[in-house]
Amino acid sequence: MIAKTPPMGWNSWDCWGAAVSEETVRKNAEFIAQHLKPFGWEYVVVDIQWYEPTAVNHEYHPFTELCMDEYSRLIPSEKRFPSSAGGKGFAPLAEYVHSLGLKFGIHIMRGIPRRAAHEHMKLLGTDVTADRIANPFSISRWNGDMYGVDMSREGAQAYYDSIFALYASWGVDYVKVDDICNTNMYPHDPYSAEKEVEAIARAIEKSGRPMVLSLSPGPAVIEKAWHLERYANMWRITDDFWDDWELLKAMFERCEVWQKHVGGGNWPDCDMLPFGKLGWGWGKERISRFTREEERTMLSLWCIFRSPLMIGTDLTQLDDDVKAMLSNREILAVHSSGHGAFQLMRDDRQCVWISYGGGCPARGQAVYAALFNLSDRDGEVSVPLKEIPGIDEEAGYAVRDLWQGKDLFPLSGGALLSLELKAHDAAVLKLS
């Protein structure tokens, strides 16, 4: 099974937008290997426009030059990824990432380059040209590089097979496919590209190399959960997530909607973690607007829900507090080995999520309780333990605060679990 646990790693988008470079990727990979790999962080993902020589910030350039091979397949810009020169593609960079004990990923847009279609370029493995499989009525609303692929046309599957064969030859372990989970083209059918999802899944299997398949952007539609679970490993349940409390607060409802579809190699995705410095190359570099309390809430929810964890920042600039959060083994154990997570309650003031650590607490296994203060004021967050399924009212429980790394007061199963929390803060407790 691919992605037995939710993938954890780094993605270049939040900092560098479309302007990521090989130097940036190598430096962040080295940081992961040195500081985060022992805690489960392993993926290094190059986000959008790695094939555009002129990318300098987050903006997209309509009908700009894109680097392609003779078979309509996008390849890295040698200007930004020097090791790709001579037709090597991402193979040297992937090899370097692998040498650090990490895994390598890339971002692609759904479809085939529009310039390839306009120039009637060849497709590998077929006599059909790019224009014959391109759907000119299927174009992303926010990036015009690609036409969608009409999967009813001869040569369509061969095109997807060819690009994933190329990625396999490079040593790619993870592919984030954009403009496919929610195309935003047809309000009545946001998941209109599902045939391309199927084609991509077939192409990955045919390539012979295991690759995590991540679908963006969101929000994914819950009615298509069965399809996403069958063909993908990750899918976004939100549009781009940024350092805004209202976006974070709204994530609680999104997680509740998707809570029954987590596990077994399937991971609904809350999007990247905007820690630290953001917006490098965007003309608006800033420190994340999240407070420490909000960062703790974000990571607590992502972990107990078991969203993939992709850090979106310049890792080399992280402060010690964030490093400590990202290397908290007890919190990350909830993410890697918890199961059966669900929202126990939520109102305007507080929220409680529950997860189990390997089984029913009545059989001596742990239960995790994440308490969230959603209020703008400091206050108490509480829940009667008897409301948690599996809790024995006659039993006694040790309580451990996983963020603080210390044991708290013991409680009976019939007691009230209650903590004072700062505004927008969270606590994750282990009861055993």
Side-chain angles (χ1 to χ4, degrees):
M1 180 192 300
I2 303 299
K4 293 181 180 179
T5 58
M8 300 168 59
W10 170 85
N11 179 293
S12 62
W13 171 254
D14 280 2
C15 263
W16 285 273
V20 60
S21 68
E22 181 166 355
E23 180 182 11
T24 293
V25 175
R26 286 176 177 261
K27 286 182 178 179
N28 280 272
E30 290 160 3
F31 183 95
I32 295 173
Q34 182 176 355
H35 299 284
L36 297 178
K37 181 175 175 282
F39 305 96
W41 303 89
E42 59 177 347
Y43 287 95
V44 177
V45 182
V46 180
D47 211 273
I48 198 166
Q49 303 302 114
W50 41 266
Y51 37 80
E52 181 190 340
T54 59
V56 293
N57 53 34
H58 74 292
E59 296 177 354
Y60 303 124
H61 303 143
F63 299 102
T64 189
E65 175 188 357
L66 302 178
C67 298
M68 286 184 283
D69 70 7
E70 62 180 313
Y71 296 112
S72 308
R73 301 180 298 185
L74 295 169
I75 57 176
S77 163
E78 295 181 13
K79 178 180 178 181
R80 294 164 54 200
F81 295 90
S83 70
S84 70
K88 297 184 180 69
F90 271 132
L93 182 55
E95 183 179 9
Y96 179 71
V97 170
H98 293 155
S99 75
L100 299 175
L102 305 174
K103 296 181 180 179
F104 180 71
I106 60 173
H107 170 290
I108 66 171
M109 290 291 290
R110 170 181 67 91
I112 190 164
R114 293 171 71 179
R115 290 187 63 212
H118 294 171
E119 297 172 16
H120 306 276
M121 292 180 65
K122 294 186 293 186
L123 304 178
L124 183 65
T126 176
D127 294 331
V128 174
T129 52
D131 54 298
R132 299 295 298 275
I133 69 168
N135 178 359
F137 301 102
S138 178
I139 304 173
S140 168
R141 295 174 62 182
W142 45 271
N143 180 302
D145 290 343
M146 315 291 277
Y147 285 134
V149 172
D150 184 342
M151 293 311 304
S152 69
R153 300 286 186 88
E154 179 186 353
Q157 185 65 55
Y159 165 71
Y160 272 121
D161 289 347
S162 74
I163 64 171
F164 279 90
L166 180 64
Y167 304 157
S169 74
W170 289 344
V172 171
D173 306 296
Y174 175 116
V175 181
K176 173 184 174 182
V177 185
D178 219 334
D179 192 45
I180 198 166
C181 186
N182 188 326
T183 64
N184 294 308
M185 289 195 304
Y186 310 111
H188 65 284
D189 185 16
Y191 193 46
S192 60
E194 62 184 281
K195 293 301 181 184
E196 287 187 80
V197 173
E198 295 172 15
I200 289 167
R202 287 192 294 267
I204 291 174
E205 183 175 3
K206 187 174 180 179
S207 79
R209 183 175 182 84
M211 301 182 203
V212 171
L213 176 55
S214 169
L215 305 182
S216 287
V221 289
I222 190 65
E223 294 82 5
K224 291 293 185 176
W226 67 271
H227 193 271
L228 294 161
E229 289 174 336
R230 180 173 180 180
Y231 292 103
N233 304 108
M234 298 166 47
W235 54 89
R236 284 263 295 278
I237 63 174
T238 178
D239 202 345
D240 285 2
F241 176 79
W242 286 102
D243 48 332
D244 180 282
W245 170 247
E246 292 304 317
L247 293 179
L248 178 51
K249 194 173 180 180
M251 199 66 71
F252 286 88
E253 182 176 357
R254 296 185 185 278
C255 291
E256 181 186 13
V257 169
W258 285 96
Q259 65 188 14
K260 294 182 180 179
H261 300 278
V262 177
N266 298 133
W267 312 109
D269 181 10
C270 296
D271 200 14
M272 287 175 281
L273 299 161
F275 286 111
K277 288 189 176 181
L278 306 174
W280 285 45
W282 289 49
K284 53 178 182 180
E285 178 186 326
R286 68 174 189 275
I287 300 296
S288 173
R289 293 171 295 209
F290 279 145
T291 65
R292 281 288 180 256
E293 291 78 19
E294 290 165 349
E295 289 175 338
R296 192 157 39 241
T297 286
M298 174 176 62
L299 195 52
S300 297
L301 179 60
W302 268 235
C303 283
I304 199 162
F305 174 69
R306 303 190 77 193
S307 168
L309 300 179
M310 290 290 163
I311 309 165
T313 191
D314 180 0
L315 293 174
T316 67
Q317 301 295 315
L318 279 184
D319 64 44
D320 289 341
D321 287 344
V322 174
K323 286 182 190 176
M325 293 176 72
L326 298 176
S327 56
N328 184 313
R329 293 188 186 276
E330 293 183 279
I331 290 292
L332 294 176
V334 180
H335 181 257
S336 63
S337 60
H339 70 90
F342 67 98
Q343 183 177 273
L344 182 66
M345 66 82 60
R346 186 181 81 248
D347 58 29
D348 290 339
R349 190 179 62 83
Q350 66 176 29
C351 181
V352 178
W353 272 75
I354 301 299
S355 174
Y356 297 98
C360 174
R363 302 192 190 102
Q365 301 299 315
V367 58
Y368 299 113
L371 311 182
F372 300 93
N373 181 2
L374 304 182
S375 170
D376 295 335
R377 298 182 178 181
D378 299 354
E380 179 184 72
V381 178
S382 61
V383 59
L385 284 182
K386 64 182 181 182
E387 293 185 4
I388 301 174
I391 288 289
D392 182 354
E393 290 189 57
E394 304 302 321
Y397 293 90
V399 181
R400 183 168 177 80
D401 185 323
L402 302 189
W403 277 121
Q404 300 297 324
K406 65 180 182 181
D407 295 326
L408 304 181
F409 39 80
L411 289 175
S412 70
L416 181 71
L417 179 61
S418 178
L419 281 182
E420 285 284 333
L421 293 176
K422 293 183 178 180
H424 303 181
D425 203 356
V428 182
L429 306 178
K430 179 179 180 180
L431 299 112
S432 55

